[in-house]
Amino acid sequence: MKKIIPFLLAAVLPASALLAQSAAPAPAAAPPEVEEDVVGSLDNDAKIAIPAFATNADVPTQTSAGSTSTLGFSVANVIFADLRNNGLFQPTGPSSLPRPALAQVQAPDYGSWQSRGVDMLVQGYVRAESSGNITVGCYLYDVALGQQRVKAGWTVAPGDWRRAAHKCADLVYSNLSGENPFFDSRVAYIAETGPKDRRMKRLAIMDSDGANHTFLTTGQTIALTPRYSPDYKSIMYLSYTNGQPRIYIIDPQTKAQRLLLSTNNPLFAPRWSPDGRWVLYSMATGGNTDIYKIPSAGGTPIKLTDAPGIDIGGSFSPDGSKIVFESDRSGSQQVYVMNADGTGQRRISFFGGRAATPEWSPRGDQIAFTHIVGNLRIAVMDPAGGSLRYLTDSWQDEAPTWAPNGRVVQFFRTAKTSGKTSLWQVDLTGRNERRLETPVDGSDPAWGPLRP
Amino acid sequence: MRRALSREEAFGLGLAALGHVALAWVLVMAKPSAPPPPIDRVSVTLSDEMGAVSTSPNPKSDPMADKGPELGEPAPVEEAAPPPQPQAQPQPKPQPAPQPRVAAVPPPKPAPVPAPKTAPAKPQQQTKAAPKAVPATKTPAKAGASSFDQLFAKGIPGGSSKGRDQTSAASQASAQQVASWSSSINSRVRGPWNSCPVNGLDVNKLRASVRFTLDPNGRVQSIEDFDVTGVTEANRAQVKPFKDCAVRAIRLAAPFAGLPPEFHDQWKNRRLNFRKE
Amino acid sequence: MNKRLTLTMVIAAGLAVSACAKKAPQVLPPDPGPPSQTETTVSNAPVPGSQADFAAQMMGQDTIYFETDRFNIDATDQAALAAQAQWLMKYPTKRLTVEGHADERGTREYNLALGERRANAAKNYLVSLGVETGRITTVSYGKERPVALGSDEESWARNRRAVTVTID
């Protein structure tokens, strides 16, 4: 026993020495890479400041906004409202911010903005040209990094000063979000007044933020379901002018109107193709409604559907190769897709209930529609009919229309019992649902493309 | 009728009585034995983080300065003494295990994600001010510091005034230290990551994995590799803003103070996986 | 002078004769009785063959009703259309419009087409009963012209209808 202990010690000691040596510093392996997760919130709190735009000289303008100094304030306010309503940022507008001097517009006082906790800064200037036109310069700065992100400028006629502001908001929005712009666009819709059984309905148009509002018809006859042409030069809509529903094309500048085509049959649901060269309409013969296509400049109609029942509506894919429409040939309203020549018709909505008013997103990746299961709700799906997502959840929401960038949707909401209608907007993630301000009630919104 | 004791019985009785008296005498007169010698106190680290490498200090090093114990919540390991050159603090080590673990391992506040609406603004302001460790509001004075602690803060009079080993004799940082550096970097990056707006369909599926290196001063030396996964048709347009926000967050969070230069090799290569949810 | 005398004598003779003519008749003419319906200055009764007459005569059968999303003519509808046809046969030159309607609980364009389908179904049935097809026009109002203003099943059922309106 006594001899074993020293032997064991002799064996253990060298082993521990070896261990100590292997634990010695200066490892032969490369320096380690340390990995960590950084998790942020989608409810981001990016603070973006939009102070009033500066000017080189405070002179009167031909705009509705007064002198260049007041105009600079109003331009910033339009941008502020665009970004606030969009919900992507937490903007602070010119009413709450000090007004930069003209020299600071291109050389911001970063320190002062940093001390206000601002992340991004939009600055700009307005300048009255001798021609009466207005030049607007727009600059976006990353305050924390202390560098400029993007800049641009536009010269517009005085009556278009709001467009320059929307262009600046679009520049900021698309630079920060990666999305295409959409603020510089117009909306056609139906303005409604009167009792539920005798509504007066007038065709109306406005900017995407509700400004520059105009009534285009008197309301003596019912006007329904308008559509802006892609070049904004015409609006197609449904009118009961002669006691029968017919499709008219109206020039928003002159208010001159003409019939799309003469027929003894009722016509519904006018639609433009994305390039403006074709028009879709739906015509009822003997109670059966089908979809037709006709050159917008006039010509021979082409019948696209002939199933018994109601085939109606239709919305082109952005590349013009396909059309999504609604049909009740299966026994209830559902959504179908076909090639632009009418071939290959197949149903894509299999959600239960009824599916109606399909609209193809200008980005091509989504189809918005009205899903009816008791209530009417705005929903989206992919063009194959999968990935159903609801954007709203109210008693009766219908007729979605897409913003030019395919990321925001407008629709109209009907109130139970009173039947009063209003225009609403929601983004594709279902957030930022908000009511649009219109002079009276509104329905059937139709969003035009981005203005060049 | 009383029976007389026999001679055997009397003898036995007497013997027993004598025995009882002797026992009683012994019990009364016995001295208490000396108390057992006190057990030497040895600090024990209850850790299931067993490093493969010994990180304990060299047992032959000079002892610590005889200072009063530091009561109260210790400063986090990464917080240096005010001078900008940070050094690893060996002081927390001899203390019982749970304390440094609490400070180092879990990600420090702000842990609840929606809560910090105002908090991220602060680190940004401080990046331009003097660099501070993230729980910058902690002062060096310990919470539970007593007057005793303060009396002996300078050490026992007559004792050795300083331990000669101010720097850790360990050759490798402990797992706890490594974790504390990571959480420090992470929390500084999260603020600017949160305040960079990226939103849209399927953005919650994006993952940006950014590999970068730091120089010994904690500044970003290079951003070397970028890998974005989770891209779908719906979020493709957000990939660039997502990446830009990740790089921006790293740049704004740097330089990372409180990282010991002597362990530079162990914290210089980093990979951060960004996501928003 | 002679002319004046002659004129006076003629007038006097006429007066005498007219006085003679007014004699109380032996047999009184029958009592006129209650005012007849055709005297519009006296009553509000519709002119026969007018839309008002048609509506009054139909007593609600100028309207037929439908189930949700349906456009078929059921037995009740058939009886109502038969009554309509009977009236229409009496006035063979009368033109008429069948208005098709839908309830509010559907989308606008589909409801326009559905209203047209209902109006057309009513028209076809009238034609099958002998009303000449050229007399009938159809128009759909979709959900634009409800008669019942509530948002409940009863109101919706009353709004899912096809109404026959004759053209004055």
Side-chain angles (χ1 to χ4, degrees):
Chain A
M1 182 68 173
K2 283 193 178 163
K3 286 184 186 170
I4 293 174
I5 292 173
F7 175 73
L8 285 172
L9 281 172
V12 165
L13 279 171
S16 62
L18 273 172
L19 264 172
Q21 281 204 344
S22 65
E33 180 181 271
V34 186
E35 191 166 342
E36 270 278 308
D37 284 350
V38 183
V39 184
S41 169
L42 284 171
D43 288 319
N44 74 80
D45 50 3
K47 291 184 178 44
I48 185 164
I50 307 144
F53 278 25
T55 184
N56 59 329
D58 187 13
V59 298
T61 68
Q62 296 167 29
T63 72
S64 53
S67 68
T68 46
S69 179
T70 356
L71 180 63
F73 188 94
S74 301
V75 166
N77 241 349
V78 169
I79 299 166
F80 163 60
D82 280 348
L83 297 181
R84 178 198 60 207
N85 293 335
N86 183 247
L88 186 61
F89 318 104
Q90 290 187 12
T92 313
S95 307
S96 323
L97 296 169
R99 184 168 194 157
L102 182 63
Q104 291 176 321
V105 168
Q106 299 190 27
D109 181 358
Y110 287 115
S112 157
W113 291 109
Q114 282 164 11
S115 66
R116 286 175 168 270
V118 167
D119 297 302
M120 300 288 169
L121 171 67
V122 179
Q123 291 191 148
Y125 66 84
V126 298
R127 188 175 66 223
E129 308 295 346
S130 52
S131 58
N133 288 342
I134 304 290
T135 297
V136 174
C138 170
Y139 301 78
L140 173 65
Y141 296 99
D142 185 326
V143 167
L145 282 181
Q147 57 189 216
Q148 188 185 93
R149 287 185 66 108
V150 70
K151 65 177 179 190
W154 305 272
T155 303
V156 294
D160 282 338
W161 70 267
R162 295 188 75 102
R163 285 198 58 197
H166 289 310
K167 286 286 187 226
C168 182
D170 273 331
L171 183 76
V172 169
Y173 165 78
S174 55
N175 180 272
L176 290 176
S177 72
E179 291 294 355
N180 286 334
F182 71 97
F183 291 116
D184 186 21
S185 53
R186 302 262 289 166
V187 174
Y189 77 102
I190 298 299
E192 297 194 14
T193 50
K196 190 176 181 183
D197 57 347
R198 197 137 293 269
R199 296 290 270 177
M200 179 160 96
K201 296 200 168 192
R202 307 173 66 179
L203 176 60
I205 51 179
M206 58 186 182
D207 290 348
S208 69
D209 64 353
N212 289 328
H213 185 280
T214 312
F215 292 102
L216 291 183
T217 64
T218 61
Q220 278 186 323
T221 57
I222 298 173
L224 301 174
T225 62
R227 294 285 162 143
Y228 249 122
S229 66
D231 62 4
Y232 280 105
K233 289 184 178 162
S234 345
I235 295 159
M236 267 196 310
Y237 74 108
L238 194 67
S239 171
Y240 282 73
T241 295
N242 290 315
Q244 285 283 349
R246 294 290 188 269
I247 297 173
Y248 288 83
I249 305 178
I250 184 171
D251 181 329
Q253 298 288 330
T254 65
K255 298 191 184 173
Q257 302 199 45
R258 66 178 175 91
L259 268 175
L260 172 70
L261 80 161
S262 280
T263 171
N264 289 326
N265 295 315
L267 299 183
F268 316 115
R271 304 282 194 269
W272 297 93
S273 66
D275 60 7
R277 292 178 50 232
W278 293 95
V279 164
L280 298 178
Y281 63 90
S282 303
M283 184 166 78
T285 49
N288 191 57
T289 301
D290 285 307
I291 301 171
Y292 296 74
K293 183 168 81 166
I294 189 175
S296 54
T300 311
I302 303 165
K303 193 167 194 237
L304 297 180
T305 70
D306 63 2
I310 296 172
D311 302 321
I312 195 168
S315 169
F316 278 89
S317 58
D319 65 1
S321 67
K322 290 190 171 24
I323 295 170
V324 64
F325 64 101
E326 63 177 281
S327 169
D328 68 357
R329 62 186 70 175
S330 72
S332 66
Q333 275 171 293
Q334 299 296 339
V335 173
Y336 290 70
V337 169
M338 61 182 171
N339 298 319
D341 62 0
T343 59
Q345 298 179 15
R346 64 195 178 284
R347 175 176 164 180
I348 64 170
S349 63
F350 294 93
F351 314 117
R354 293 173 279 156
T357 75
E359 286 292 319
W360 215 306
S361 147
R363 242 182 78 154
D365 60 341
Q366 303 273 321
I367 291 173
F369 66 103
T370 305
H371 194 213
I372 307 172
V373 188
N375 286 346
L376 281 68
R377 299 170 69 179
I378 304 300
V380 291
M381 58 181 163
D382 64 38
S387 306
L388 169 70
R389 284 180 35 253
Y390 288 106
L391 301 189
T392 72
D393 187 9
S394 192
W395 181 73
Q396 184 147 329
D397 295 335
E398 63 185 285
T401 179
W402 288 96
N405 70 350
R407 281 299 173 262
V408 180
V409 162
Q410 280 182 5
F411 60 96
F412 77 94
R413 174 165 292 171
T414 306
K416 194 172 176 181
T417 307
S418 72
K420 287 174 72 67
T421 55
S422 46
L423 298 188
W424 287 72
Q425 187 168 302
V426 67
D427 68 33
L428 194 53
T429 61
R431 297 163 169 221
N432 301 314
E433 185 182 292
R434 56 176 268 268
R435 179 175 173 160
L436 303 181
E437 275 188 37
T438 51
V440 292
D441 293 354
S443 60
D444 296 348
W447 211 325
L450 190 73
R451 301 173 78 179
Chain B
M1 193 129 122
R2 194 171 146 250
R3 185 169 67 95
L5 284 166
S6 69
R7 242 221 304 234
E8 296 84 6
E9 288 172 331
F11 177 73
L13 190 64
L15 198 62
L18 200 64
H20 277 82
V21 170
L23 180 64
W25 181 82
V26 167
L27 286 172
V28 168
M29 298 308 292
K31 290 182 188 146
S33 59
I39 300 169
D40 282 324
R41 292 198 180 272
V42 177
S43 69
V44 177
T45 299
L46 297 170
S47 168
D48 49 34
E49 282 184 6
M50 289 298 295
V53 163
S54 162
T55 61
S56 53
N58 185 345
K60 293 219 169 99
S61 67
D62 280 331
M64 296 299 310
D66 290 329
K67 288 192 176 181
E70 294 168 59
L71 302 172
E73 213 177 298
V77 175
E78 66 272 17
E79 182 174 86
Q85 278 307 317
Q87 294 177 351
Q89 295 293 347
Q91 289 159 351
K93 278 194 202 158
Q95 289 174 349
Q99 282 173 331
R101 288 189 50 161
V102 163
V105 173
K109 293 92 40 193
V113 165
K117 293 279 189 234
T118 54
K122 289 184 192 164
Q124 287 179 34
Q125 296 171 17
Q126 290 171 357
T127 54
K128 293 298 175 187
K132 283 186 186 180
V134 165
T137 50
K138 284 215 160 73
T139 64
K142 305 296 186 292
S146 66
S147 57
F148 171 84
D149 168 71
Q150 281 155 5
L151 268 179
F152 289 96
K154 291 184 187 151
I156 297 171
S160 62
S161 57
K162 59 178 183 287
R164 262 163 268 166
D165 287 323
Q166 282 300 333
T167 61
S168 169
S171 52
Q172 192 112 354
S174 69
Q176 300 156 10
Q177 276 182 303
V178 172
S180 73
W181 303 330
S182 292
S183 68
S184 155
I185 290 171
N186 192 325
S187 57
R188 288 169 66 98
V189 172
R190 193 179 313 116
W193 172 240
N194 250 338
S195 68
C196 196
V198 189
N199 217 319
L201 212 47
D202 285 354
V203 166
N204 56 347
K205 294 184 181 167
L206 288 174
R207 303 281 182 272
S209 190
V210 186
R211 191 153 66 93
F212 60 100
T213 57
L214 301 172
D215 71 11
N217 293 316
R219 286 190 291 261
V220 174
Q221 200 164 43
S222 64
I223 295 183
E224 281 156 18
D225 195 27
F226 230 120
D227 188 28
V228 178
T229 54
V231 181
T232 66
E233 268 311 307
N235 65 24
R236 195 173 297 276
Q238 275 71 57
V239 168
K240 181 174 187 307
F242 196 84
K243 285 166 63 170
D244 289 351
C245 277
V247 169
R248 177 181 186 271
I250 293 170
R251 292 210 180 280
L252 285 177
F256 298 98
L259 301 173
E262 66 273 18
F263 290 124
H264 178 235
D265 263 5
Q266 297 185 40
W267 48 258
K268 72 177 183 184
N269 296 329
R270 311 214 64 87
R271 181 180 283 278
L272 285 178
N273 300 323
F274 290 85
R275 70 178 188 267
K276 285 197 184 260
E277 54 188 43
Chain C
M1 187 95 146
N2 271 344
K3 259 195 178 166
R4 193 177 287 174
L5 187 60
T6 310
L7 189 62
T8 312
M9 283 172 65
V10 166
I11 289 170
L15 281 169
V17 167
S18 65
C20 293
K22 275 270 199 269
K23 237 190 239 184
Q26 299 232 322
V27 178
L28 284 170
D31 193 311
S36 84
Q37 301 230 334
T38 55
E39 286 188 14
T40 50
T41 51
V42 179
S43 75
N44 290 325
V47 174
S50 69
Q51 164 59 22
D53 174 40
F54 174 71
Q57 300 255 346
M58 290 299 103
M59 289 185 298
Q61 284 189 306
D62 56 350
T63 303
I64 60 174
Y65 297 94
F66 302 90
E67 293 300 305
T68 301
D69 275 358
R70 307 298 301 278
F71 56 98
N72 54 310
I73 308 293
D74 62 19
T76 317
D77 299 337
Q78 288 175 4
L81 288 167
Q84 292 178 24
Q86 214 178 19
W87 188 99
L88 290 168
M89 295 307 214
K90 281 199 291 185
Y91 305 97
T93 58
K94 223 42 187 157
R95 288 175 303 126
L96 56 143
T97 301
V98 180
E99 300 177 350
H101 298 266
D103 66 36
E104 67 180 350
R105 209 64 172 130
T107 52
R108 191 180 312 285
E109 287 170 337
Y110 184 82
N111 276 352
L112 288 172
L114 181 60
E116 177 62 28
R117 216 166 183 192
R118 287 170 174 160
N120 202 261
K123 169 184 173 180
N124 287 345
Y125 195 78
L126 287 173
V127 168
S128 75
L129 294 178
V131 181
E132 194 191 52
T133 186
R135 297 168 59 183
I136 310 174
T137 51
T138 53
V139 66
S140 169
Y141 288 105
K143 61 177 180 176
E144 309 304 313
R145 289 285 182 265
V147 292
L149 305 187
S151 289
D152 46 63
E153 288 295 341
E154 195 226 321
S155 300
W156 298 333
R158 287 177 55 205
N159 288 327
R160 292 190 295 267
R161 68 199 193 281
V163 185
T164 301
V165 180
T166 63
I167 301 170
D168 280 333

